[in-house]
């Protein structure tokens, strides 16, 4: 079995009524994807991801994503705290996420926005600690600062999702009890540093994800020139997870079944709440 540790199944790309989500999810189950983790991005989709996870038989996380910090209000943190309390006995709630820092998007890099992002990040680490939940981290040009705050406000591990940092940063996350999420980005031949990490990091540190609908794997990727010529961008979904897993297995020169088993074990360790869930078949 495979676990897609990060997919935004509630995204508008999957259709307003989730019809595409449900059909893609069924297809993914046929390919062995037993569980998906659906992270929230802001207060307004807390209910959506929870309901969707119950509908598809998957798991969810609640949190405020750094890209949504500009429109978040301080009171959203109290709402998150309340939602984590209200759903504490919901076995499908497995983490606080998606939280983190994004120092790539220019609008988020002004001194005020950097400070605001750190404020939301630290507050959510505190909530994760208080509610005894792991965290799902968005890491973009921000690994060292994320690590600094994690050391000051420890949590019970989690996943550094779509990891794309240095080996040293990877090892620092691992030492703090984190797994690293690998997905579509490492299917590109040109992603040499990332492929080297996927090959050389301890197998026990790796989890797999699609980050659907974002980060399409190489076989779905349509270039800007091709889009102009009328070819639509392929929609990334949990259907792609086994093939991404096969790419990583190929890089590591291990059997695909071994990759499936190890990445599933790692996901269950990173997000222990998943252990109580029955895989979708
Ligand atoms: Zn995400």
């Amino acid at each position: 079995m495979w676990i897609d540790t990060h997919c935004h199944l509630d995204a508008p790309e999957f259709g307003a009524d989730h019809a595409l989500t449900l059909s893609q999810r069924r297809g993914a189950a046929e390919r062995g994807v037993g569980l998906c983790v659906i992270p929230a991005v802001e207060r307004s989709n807390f209910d959506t991801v929870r309901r969707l996870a119950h509908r598809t038989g998957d798991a969810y996380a609640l949190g405020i994503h750094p890209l949504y910090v500009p429109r978040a209000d301080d009171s959203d943190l109290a709402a998150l705290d309340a939602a984590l309390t209200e759903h504490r006995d919901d076995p499908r709630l497995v983490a606080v996420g998606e939280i983190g820092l994004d120092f790539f998007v220019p609008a988020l890099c002004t001194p005020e926005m950097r400070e605001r992002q750190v404020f939301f990040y630290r507050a959510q680490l505190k909530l994760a600690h208080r509610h005894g939940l792991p965290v799902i981290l968005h890491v973009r040009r921000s690994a060292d600062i994320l690590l600094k705050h994690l050391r000051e406000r420890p949590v019970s591990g989690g996943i550094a999702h779509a990891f794309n940092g240095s080996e040293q940063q990877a090892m620092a996350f691992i030492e703090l009890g984190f797994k690293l999420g690998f997905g579509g980005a490492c299917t590109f031949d040109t992603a040499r540093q990332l492929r080297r990490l996927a090959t050389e990091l301890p197998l026990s540190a790796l989890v797999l994800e699609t980050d659907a609908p974002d980060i399409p794997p190489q076989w779905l990727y349509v270039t800007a020139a091709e889009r102009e010529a009328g070819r639509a961008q392929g929609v990334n979904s949990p259907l792609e997870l086994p093939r991404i897993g096969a790419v990583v297995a190929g890089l590591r020169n291990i059997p695909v079944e071994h990759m499936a088993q190890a990445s599933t074990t790692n996901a269950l360790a990173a997000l222990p709440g998943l252990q109580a869930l029955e895989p979708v078949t």
Side-chain angles (χ1 to χ4, degrees):
M1 138 164 140
W2 301 95
I3 297 181
D4 186 346
T5 58
H6 199 107
C7 51
H8 297 279
L9 286 180
D10 63 313
E13 283 85 342
F14 294 111
D17 57 355
H18 306 305
L20 187 54
T21 297
L22 299 174
S23 76
Q24 304 266 29
R25 183 65 191 91
R26 270 193 300 277
E30 279 163 23
R31 294 184 189 182
V33 180
L35 289 169
C36 293
V37 181
I38 313 170
V41 296
E42 62 176 340
R43 178 182 185 167
S44 69
N45 82 333
F46 290 175
D47 276 342
T48 313
V49 298
R50 179 175 53 81
R51 288 209 192 97
L52 192 55
H54 279 268
R55 200 162 158 197
T56 58
D58 289 309
Y60 67 101
L62 296 178
I64 300 160
H65 189 296
L67 293 180
Y68 292 79
V69 161
R71 65 190 208 199
D73 187 85
D74 286 12
S75 68
D76 292 358
L77 292 166
L80 175 59
D81 191 14
L84 293 170
T85 303
E86 185 184 349
H87 303 295
R88 65 170 10 131
D89 296 326
D90 182 353
R92 300 195 184 278
L93 172 60
V94 297
V96 169
E98 174 173 0
I99 68 171
L101 298 170
D102 192 308
F103 295 149
F104 173 75
V105 176
L108 291 175
C109 291
T110 62
E112 298 75 29
M113 279 315 305
R114 288 175 78 101
E115 204 181 304
R116 189 88 177 128
Q117 286 193 66
V118 168
F119 169 74
F120 274 88
Y121 173 51
R122 286 181 66 95
Q124 293 183 94
L125 288 179
K126 195 173 165 186
L127 288 177
H129 176 78
R130 193 191 308 152
H131 290 273
L133 287 168
V135 295
I136 297 173
L137 294 180
H138 174 97
V139 190
R140 197 146 61 146
R141 303 245 173 112
S142 58
D144 290 334
I145 302 177
L146 286 169
L147 286 160
K148 169 182 170 280
H149 292 291
L150 268 177
R151 290 193 186 96
E152 289 173 17
R153 287 199 173 281
V155 295
S156 61
I159 295 171
H161 126 78
F163 185 77
N164 195 1
S166 68
E167 188 181 347
Q168 198 189 3
Q169 289 164 337
M171 294 314 290
F173 276 112
I174 293 166
E175 271 161 39
L176 290 172
F178 277 74
K179 309 292 184 194
L180 307 169
F182 285 85
C186 69
T187 61
F188 290 82
D189 301 330
T190 47
R192 286 174 54 200
Q193 151 78 0
L194 192 58
R195 290 174 82 116
R196 198 174 59 79
L197 282 177
T199 309
E200 293 175 3
L201 287 175
L203 183 58
S204 60
L206 266 56
V207 295
L208 297 170
E209 59 177 50
T210 58
D211 199 18
D214 299 324
I215 321 191
Q218 187 163 37
W219 51 88
L220 285 182
Y221 185 73
V222 174
T223 63
E226 288 171 323
R227 278 200 297 278
E228 244 162 68
R231 201 173 142 204
Q233 186 67 270
V235 176
N236 190 16
S237 82
L239 280 173
E240 310 303 330
L241 194 84
R243 195 164 163 194
I244 291 169
V247 169
V248 179
L251 290 170
R252 300 186 69 101
N253 203 16
I254 59 171
V256 176
E257 302 71 42
H258 188 177
M259 188 69 221
Q261 187 230 324
S263 59
T264 293
T265 302
N266 300 342
L268 296 174
L271 308 176
L274 293 174
Q275 296 167 19
L277 302 181
E278 200 64 47
V280 178
T281 52

